[in-house]
Amino acid sequence: MAAMLTPLMAAEQISAEEFAKLPGFSAKRLTGSFTVGYDTNYVGRGLVISHSVAEGDSSELAALKLNYDVGHKQQQWSIDSTISYRAVSSGHTMYGSATYAAINSSSPVYVRPRNVENEFAVLTAVKYSGKKGRVSLGHEFVHGGLLGAFAKHFRQQSASCVNEVYLETVWTPTKWAEVGHTLRLSLQGVQGWWFEPYVTFKAPIIGDPEHMKLAGVVTFAMSATANYFDEGHHANANGAQAFWIKLATPYFATKRFIITPAVSFNWLGAGAQKAARTSLLRYYTGDSTLVPYRNFGVVGSVTCTYLF
């Protein structure tokens, strides 16, 4: 969120004329950020994981983002890379146990544990930024997390890994509004499409755009799939997966250090609701809590970001 509100600090330190004279490999072309954060729930593509799936609720995040400006013109062409790690708090064994007693029966139901592992992701992209928006074309590798669980347990892959290519387009009609969409094609682990459109509005609360202390950010977003889930397993159906509204208030403690508390309100789409309706454990036990996602979830978070 801070990246949308704050220009790259290193690029501000020299003039456009000085930047144009820099050699192709120069430390002055490199900018980035380091972020740590905490969420009250684990969320994947807008889906809020239920307590019975992860045996816990919260998750912790650490992410390093690097941007290398490769263009002749400042902040036009760049190579972006992000490495992130998210720990799913406590447990990680889906539904907590491998054995349940079937309702009205003395015979137990045996269920193979399905782990939601800690999530490790690497993103690399080429980005073009213009006056009214930006376009990024990149690749994302994910091990673990929700996508890894889909690959390992519903596609019988040997590892919880997914490889995706993505195209992100962002239109900024005004300085304080942007409309974006990320189109993802999963090529390995699970094959299929993800669609993630969003609209964001931003405004200063304390200060002005040049000397910001506190900002307000509101995002409306959704995720959807096509040809991603099979009918043969008890996972989501294709179509709308999640809808959410996120409110954030980045606080610029210093020019380079930003603290961002946020809260999001997440609803399941029709596609993800199938997973609750077809949950075998819910059917056999009569326990309505043994479903993978929350139909509605309120997720609080706080992140601390250092820009360099």
Side-chain angles (χ1 to χ4, degrees):
M1 196 68 67
M4 296 190 295
L5 295 167
T6 308
L8 297 178
M9 305 305 296
E12 293 182 332
Q13 297 173 359
I14 60 176
S15 67
E17 292 77 12
E18 291 174 318
F19 182 85
K21 296 177 182 178
L22 289 175
F25 294 96
S26 170
K28 292 184 178 181
R29 289 181 175 268
L30 180 67
T31 57
S33 64
F34 179 71
T35 298
V36 294
Y38 170 84
D39 290 346
T40 57
N41 284 93
Y42 172 78
V43 182
R45 301 281 163 92
L47 299 168
V48 181
I49 304 302
S50 71
H51 181 88
S52 58
V53 166
E55 293 188 298
D57 293 308
S58 58
S59 65
E60 297 78 39
L61 168 72
L64 174 66
K65 182 175 182 179
L66 300 174
N67 311 90
Y68 194 82
D69 200 321
V70 297
H72 180 73
K73 187 177 180 181
Q74 200 172 15
Q75 295 185 35
Q76 188 175 70
W77 287 95
S78 67
I79 297 175
D80 299 348
S81 180
T82 300
I83 300 174
S84 67
Y85 186 84
R86 183 179 294 277
V88 185
S89 296
S90 82
H92 321 315
T93 303
M94 187 175 282
Y95 305 126
S97 176
T99 306
Y100 285 89
I103 191 169
N104 298 324
S105 173
S106 59
S107 300
V109 176
Y110 295 96
V111 179
R112 183 179 61 181
R114 294 169 174 175
N115 298 336
V116 179
E117 303 168 25
N118 291 343
E119 181 181 293
F120 173 73
V122 179
L123 291 80
T124 306
V126 176
K127 180 174 69 179
Y128 172 80
S129 300
K131 292 182 178 180
K132 289 293 184 179
R134 59 187 182 272
V135 179
S136 298
L137 177 63
H139 169 267
E140 180 173 7
F141 167 81
V142 180
H143 181 278
L146 184 64
L147 299 183
F150 288 153
K152 186 173 183 178
H153 301 297
F154 295 123
R155 294 298 179 91
Q156 289 76 51
Q157 301 297 306
S158 58
S160 305
C161 297
V162 172
N163 276 284
E164 298 179 325
V165 293
Y166 67 91
L167 175 67
E168 180 185 26
T169 56
V170 179
W171 176 49
T172 52
T174 68
K175 191 171 184 178
W176 295 103
E178 67 180 44
V179 180
H181 181 264
T182 303
L183 174 65
R184 301 177 185 272
L185 174 60
S186 184
L187 301 172
Q188 182 268 331
V190 184
Q191 291 77 45
W193 298 87
W194 279 91
F195 308 91
E196 298 171 61
Y198 71 89
V199 179
T200 294
F201 300 97
K202 300 162 281 188
I205 297 176
I206 300 176
D208 55 61
E210 301 302 323
H211 303 89
M212 188 92 64
K213 288 303 292 182
L214 183 69
V217 183
V218 181
T219 299
F220 302 87
M222 73 163 295
S223 65
T225 59
N227 299 320
Y228 194 86
F229 297 104
D230 289 338
E231 294 297 326
H233 56 62
H234 296 271
N236 311 24
N238 290 302
Q241 301 301 313
F243 301 86
W244 65 96
I245 301 172
K246 186 172 185 177
L247 312 175
T249 53
Y251 171 67
F252 295 77
T254 69
K255 213 177 174 186
R256 295 181 179 273
F257 185 65
I258 305 167
I259 302 172
T260 306
V263 61
S264 68
F265 305 89
N266 299 53
W267 294 265
L268 286 187
Q273 289 175 9
K274 178 207 171 188
R277 294 194 306 270
T278 61
S279 169
L280 289 177
L281 288 178
R282 179 182 181 180
Y283 172 77
Y284 281 120
T285 65
D287 187 344
S288 62
T289 67
L290 296 179
V291 293
Y293 317 116
R294 298 189 178 188
N295 190 53
F296 171 70
V298 179
V299 182
S301 66
V302 61
T303 60
C304 298
T305 299
Y306 177 75
L307 306 172
F308 58 86

